[in-house]
Amino acid sequence: MCIRRVSFLVLISAFLTGVALASGAIPNWPAPAVWSPPRASGITTLSAAPPLPFIPVTPCRVADTRGNGFVGQYGPPSLVANATRSFTITGMCGIPAGAAAVSFNFAALNVAGGGDLRVFPAGEGVPLVSTLNYNGNTPNIANAAVVPLGSGGAITVQADAVPIDLIIDVNGYYSSYPATNTTFVIQDSASTAIYGITYSTADDTTAVVGYAAAGPVVGATYGVGGTENSTANNSAGVRGTDFSGTPTSGNYIPAGVRGESASNYGVLGLSRSYGVAGAVHDSTGTQIAYGILGTTNGTVTYGVYSGGDFGGSGAKYFVEPHPTDASKVIRYVSLEGPESGTYFRGRGRFQNGEATIEVPEDFRMVTDSEGLSIQVTPIGDFASVAVVRMELDEIVVKATRNVEFFYTVNGVRRTHRDLKPIGPGTEFMPSSADARMPAYLTEGQKALLVSNGTYNADGTVSMETAERLGWTKMWAEREAGAKAPSSRDQQNAAR
């Protein structure tokens, strides 16, 4: 039978002479950045599986038929001529069960004559092409190849014509999901460890996806994205850190994206439109609120913009520079009240004991006609003042003297006139049963949360209150929801 002198699935065809023939450091070798599963012969469609990324591991020896510490299927005896032998690869050298193919380096040793080595997925037939060719003049020779894994995560080899010893090394694998703690290291400071780009114009397209999953998650066609359905504290689909140190030792609920820095920005968003945005949706997928940190449309610019109510447990400040002391600033606190108020003010003069105050158009646009009030202060002399007419189009006042006066007109936002200051809320509900009293609260706020039964005096959660108000059920439902696959994952599973 005539053997074609070509490599079976060999993507790196150069012969490698640097293989370590005994124990010690194993030289690395280049591997393709992606690997595409082989297509069936004949007609193919555009639904063929996408290329899988290369996930490196430290170069590692899987088998050595000479021995050198290897036993069982990975050790002696030597390969018998024209006989097959299988090697289970998954579970060895960091190759996970989810690996589709592996980057190998095969070394044929103690070769006595001409022949070839064929490597193929376990469970499949012997191919007509070889992975490595050798003869008596090449007693020790190696070649790198990417080979799919077969049944049980194994490969099968066959040494044709003459017996040989075989060394099998690996330096990475191809899979949609890397094994735990896989690390991508780029030594050049100007390089990028992970780089993703997509040219697709389809919806939901993403170049890089990160999963922190409680179980297997089906991949999809994803620009930059992170998904999280783990229930472990501090887990994240995508985590970024600048290595300035860990900012906290506390536990936080899982996140899709988490940024960490002890002394710099945890997350930095740079844009000419929207810096960092976040949105919240209800169970039907309808967006019910969103917020943006840094946004402009070219005319109006906001440091913080909220689509929906804006709330906080602290005071709302505006800050101005001190006019004479660079080490100080002036902090003013926003006026608080039980309504969403509007106002305008000004100065006028009574003529013939009467004055008309024009209502600005913008005030009329946002203010409800009910609930208007006015304060008038005479200037220069005493005068009795009365309000004759008070409407959104104009306000008429009278006085016993023709004096100047200050005025302030107050109203209520038309769209928020039914605001009730006291109502149900979970703003201060602990995030979990093992949460602690937040340190950012004032001492007065902490005292209130102890007195209303949210926390115990030692700062731990009052489980009696949590049970009574249904918080424990909400925590359990959140955890169950984190374990459940999303609709996108279910759609991908059906593909």
Side-chain angles (χ1 to χ4, degrees), residues 36-88:
S36 296
R39 298 184 180 185
S41 60
I43 298 176
T44 59
T45 68
L46 294 178
S47 62
L52 300 177
F54 176 65
I55 301 169
V57 300
T58 302
C60 179
R61 184 144 298 167
V62 173
D64 186 340
T65 62
R66 301 169 304 167
N68 293 317
F70 290 89
V71 296
Q73 64 174 301
Y74 305 102
S78 303
L79 298 187
V80 178
N82 302 315
T84 60
R85 180 171 169 182
S86 294
F87 298 85
T88 300

Side-chain angles (χ1 to χ4, degrees), residues 233-234 248-253 258 431-432 434-435:
N233 286 330
N234 299 324
T248 178
S249 59
N251 290 328
Y252 290 86
I253 61 176
R258 175 171 172 166
S431 60
S432 64
D434 59 355

Side-chain angles (χ1 to χ4, degrees), residues 350-431:
F350 291 104
Q351 296 290 344
N352 299 321
E354 187 175 287
T356 298
I357 299 174
E358 299 294 335
V359 180
E361 181 182 19
D362 53 271
F363 184 85
R364 296 199 302 269
M365 289 179 174
V366 299
T367 303
D368 190 65
S369 59
E370 300 295 328
L372 293 175
S373 64
I374 183 172
Q375 180 179 358
V376 179
T377 303
I379 302 172
D381 204 348
F382 293 102
S384 297
V385 178
V387 179
V388 178
R389 183 172 181 266
M390 191 165 189
E391 304 289 344
L392 282 176
D393 56 350
E394 68 174 9
I395 299 171
V396 179
V397 294
K398 286 188 175 183
T400 56
R401 297 177 184 273
N402 291 328
V403 296
E404 286 190 296
F405 62 94
F406 294 118
Y407 63 87
T408 301
V409 178
N410 294 96
V412 178
R413 282 181 65 183
R414 181 181 299 115
T415 54
H416 288 65
R417 65 182 182 181
D418 296 325
L419 177 67
K420 299 295 188 294
I422 299 177
T426 58
E427 287 86 345
F428 294 98
M429 181 187 76
S431 60

Side-chain angles (χ1 to χ4, degrees), residues 239-249 258-267:
R239 175 174 293 184
T241 176
D242 66 352
F243 288 99
S244 64
T246 302
T248 178
S249 59
R258 175 171 172 166
E260 296 181 358
S261 174
S263 56
N264 302 302
Y265 295 106
V267 174

Side-chain angles (χ1 to χ4, degrees), residues 30-276:
V34 296
W35 174 82
S36 296
R39 298 184 180 185
S41 60
I43 298 176
T44 59
T45 68
L46 294 178
S47 62
L52 300 177
F54 176 65
I55 301 169
V57 300
T58 302
C60 179
R61 184 144 298 167
V62 173
D64 186 340
T65 62
R66 301 169 304 167
N68 293 317
F70 290 89
V71 296
Q73 64 174 301
Y74 305 102
S78 303
L79 298 187
V80 178
N82 302 315
T84 60
R85 180 171 169 182
S86 294
F87 298 85
T88 300
I89 304 301
T90 57
M92 302 292 292
C93 295
I95 306 300
V102 174
S103 171
F104 291 97
N105 193 40
F106 298 100
L109 312 173
N110 303 319
V111 176
D116 61 80
L117 177 72
R118 308 190 200 186
V119 185
F120 50 97
E124 297 187 7
V126 180
L128 297 178
V129 293
S130 63
T131 299
L132 178 60
N133 301 318
Y134 41 78
N135 55 52
N137 296 321
T138 58
N140 299 324
I141 191 170
N143 195 28
V146 175
V147 182
L149 299 182
S151 301
I155 59 171
T156 300
V157 302
Q158 176 175 299
D160 291 334
V162 296
I164 64 169
D165 278 311
L166 179 67
I167 286 178
I168 303 176
D169 295 335
V170 298
N171 71 343
Y173 60 96
Y174 297 85
S175 174
S176 298
Y177 308 101
T180 302
N181 295 332
T182 297
T183 302
F184 297 83
V185 178
I186 298 295
Q187 299 295 337
D188 183 355
S189 61
S191 298
T192 301
I194 300 177
Y195 182 81
I197 185 170
T198 177
Y199 296 103
S200 173
T201 58
D203 292 344
D204 295 332
T205 299
T206 307
V208 178
V209 173
Y211 280 100
V217 184
V218 179
T221 313
Y222 291 93
V224 175
T227 304
E228 190 287 324
N229 75 339
S230 172
T231 58
N233 286 330
N234 299 324
S235 62
V238 176
R239 175 174 293 184
T241 176
D242 66 352
F243 288 99
S244 64
T246 302
T248 178
S249 59
N251 290 328
Y252 290 86
I253 61 176
V257 177
R258 175 171 172 166
E260 296 181 358
S261 174
S263 56
N264 302 302
Y265 295 106
V267 174
L268 176 63
L270 303 176
S271 172
R272 293 182 179 180
S273 298
Y274 306 99
V276 177

